[in-house]
Amino acid sequence: MQRMHRLPSSFRRFRKIGGVLDFGVFDETEGADADIVEAVGATLRHGRRFDGERLIALGSRAVSKAALLGDWWDPDTGALIRRGDWVTADGCELHDPRLPSLRNVKIVSGSCVIPEPGADGQLAYALSRPPYSLDGKPAEVQELFDAIAAFLLPDEAHHEIRNWNTPALVEVSDYFEAGAEWWGVHLYTIHTPELRRLSVIAGSTTD
């Protein structure tokens, strides 16, 4: 198994504008549990403690692409959703607007409910709503999301997606302690057999 050390530029740009997820992409793998443990351990670069046996014992759930991306993604259009109720500078009230509709729109107030820590597949939320807002316009955020999703989940391939989310991930690594306090803990693996590729997506942070 070999790690891909240089990911497409969309991943670097995502990090530069304030994205908080960590990605690990590994080639030449069959996606076995031993490979997953090795890949997850390598991806959790901020963690000092990692227990691969506990990870496997906690288990995972096989999910679809739609279930992985979750409630902050519109499967009909592919658009990110800004969940919540918002008021624009010109007084318009918006409920769950799609990001592409917010081009040249200034939101001045609003609120939303964030997913519970360890909730099932909320990758779109984790990508687009870090504790501090992304430093990018809605169109750029949508463009980066589309590019990252296309790389991790190419349409022409079959994917074995596993959702490892649970508040108990703090027992696996101290990496997850910060997110368990508020913003959330996220851990997903995507095995793409045709490419012999295993992708790890992890996130845990707080304000």
Side-chain angles (χ1 to χ4, degrees):
M1 186 169 69
Q2 297 180 346
R3 184 165 191 173
M4 184 181 296
H5 290 288
R6 189 166 182 83
L7 298 177
S9 60
S10 53
F11 289 82
R12 296 189 294 278
R13 177 59 183 166
F14 167 73
R15 173 67 68 174
K16 187 173 182 179
I17 68 172
V20 296
L21 294 183
D22 291 305
F23 300 90
V25 180
F26 303 81
D27 289 326
E28 304 301 322
T29 172
E30 302 303 322
D33 283 355
D35 288 347
I36 289 174
V37 167
E38 181 181 348
V40 171
T43 303
L44 303 185
R45 57 191 176 89
H46 301 306
R48 297 178 298 276
R49 169 179 55 81
F50 176 68
D51 186 341
E53 291 184 1
R54 185 57 180 153
L55 175 67
I56 297 302
L58 288 173
S60 63
R61 300 170 296 284
V63 296
S64 65
K65 176 181 176 179
L68 169 71
L69 294 174
D71 300 329
W72 293 58
W73 177 71
D74 183 352
D76 294 328
T77 64
L80 289 166
I81 304 172
R82 185 164 181 171
R83 289 287 179 189
D85 295 300
W86 310 94
V87 178
T88 68
D90 57 3
C92 292
E93 297 182 359
L94 305 176
H95 176 71
D96 292 349
R98 276 51 177 170
L99 249 63
S101 72
L102 297 179
R103 184 185 297 271
N104 300 322
V105 174
K106 183 178 180 181
I107 291 178
V108 295
S109 64
S111 63
C112 66
V113 177
I114 67 174
E116 290 292 325
D120 277 347
Q122 295 290 352
L123 179 56
Y125 157 77
L127 275 161
S128 62
R129 296 294 291 176
Y132 297 98
S133 298
L134 295 174
D135 185 22
K137 294 182 179 180
E140 181 183 15
V141 174
Q142 180 71 55
E143 180 180 345
L144 289 174
F145 169 81
D146 290 342
I148 290 170
F151 178 81
L152 296 175
L153 296 158
D155 288 337
E156 68 275 9
H158 168 70
H159 308 287
E160 298 166 356
I161 305 171
R162 297 171 73 174
N163 179 355
W164 300 83
N165 279 2
T166 168
L169 283 173
V170 295
E171 301 170 14
V172 173
S173 175
D174 54 351
Y175 173 97
F176 296 105
E177 291 175 357
E181 296 176 359
W182 173 64
W183 179 76
V185 295
H186 299 272
L187 182 61
Y188 315 99
T189 57
I190 303 168
H191 179 231
T192 307
E194 293 95 321
L195 301 177
R196 300 190 65 209
R197 175 178 293 171
L198 177 64
S199 301
V200 178
I201 308 165
S204 174
T205 189
T206 187
D207 59 350

